[in-house]
Amino acid sequence: MNESYSMKDRFQAMRHHTVQRNRQADLLTKAIAESPYPVIVCGDFNDTPASYAYRKISRLLQDCFLQAGQTWSGSYQCWGGFLRIDYTFCSPAFQVNRYLLISNPWSDHKQQHCVLYLDKCS
């Protein structure tokens, strides 16, 4: 943001983006619930695991990081590398075998690598 923005403007922008992400999470969970197929969802959510969007989506899907991650480092490489805002989720039909976060010199986000197995579709 421009340095001339007031603190009030910044908070209003943060609120606006949070409301937008929450609406998107509602739409996404509806699509997941209506899908006749196992689902994989991954991406930069710009939200922490304490957020509404994360909690809403993780009610239906497994968080691959929690299932098979072997570190507690975050996915966002800035601010000390502890912030987790990128996620890979999958339907319970998948077995999460491996999840890795790998430093990435081309981005401020770490790469997510996940190995999933699907025995059969139900």
Side-chain angles (χ1 to χ4, degrees):
M1 284 190 158
N2 187 326
E3 292 297 322
S4 65
Y5 283 123
S6 70
M7 191 60 81
K8 181 181 176 185
D9 291 336
R10 291 177 191 214
F11 281 120
Q12 286 177 340
M14 287 173 55
R15 183 180 186 285
H16 170 76
H17 291 112
T18 298
V19 168
Q20 291 293 86
R21 284 192 300 272
N22 292 350
R23 286 183 185 148
Q24 292 168 351
D26 290 339
L27 291 170
L28 181 59
T29 54
K30 183 177 186 296
I32 291 166
E34 293 174 355
S35 174
Y37 306 106
V39 174
I40 299 171
V41 175
C42 52
D44 177 1
F45 283 45
N46 282 325
D47 255 335
T48 69
S51 69
Y52 170 85
Y54 174 90
R55 289 191 318 269
K56 182 89 174 179
I57 294 165
S58 66
R59 284 186 193 136
L60 298 176
L61 302 175
Q62 303 179 81
D63 180 341
C64 296
F65 173 85
L66 295 179
Q67 295 298 314
Q70 297 181 356
T71 181
W72 284 102
S73 69
S75 61
Y76 186 60
Q77 297 187 129
C78 298
W79 301 343
F82 297 108
L83 189 60
R84 188 161 77 99
I85 60 174
D86 304 283
Y87 303 96
T88 300
F89 295 103
C90 65
S91 295
F94 288 97
Q95 176 188 341
V96 184
N97 186 275
R98 173 176 264 169
Y99 179 92
L100 298 170
L101 286 171
I102 299 173
S103 293
N104 182 356
W106 303 286
S107 175
D108 54 353
H109 297 260
K110 293 178 183 173
Q111 297 174 26
Q112 297 182 73
H113 291 254
C114 195
V115 177
L116 306 174
Y117 291 101
L118 181 62
D119 289 329
K120 63 180 181 178
C121 294
S122 49

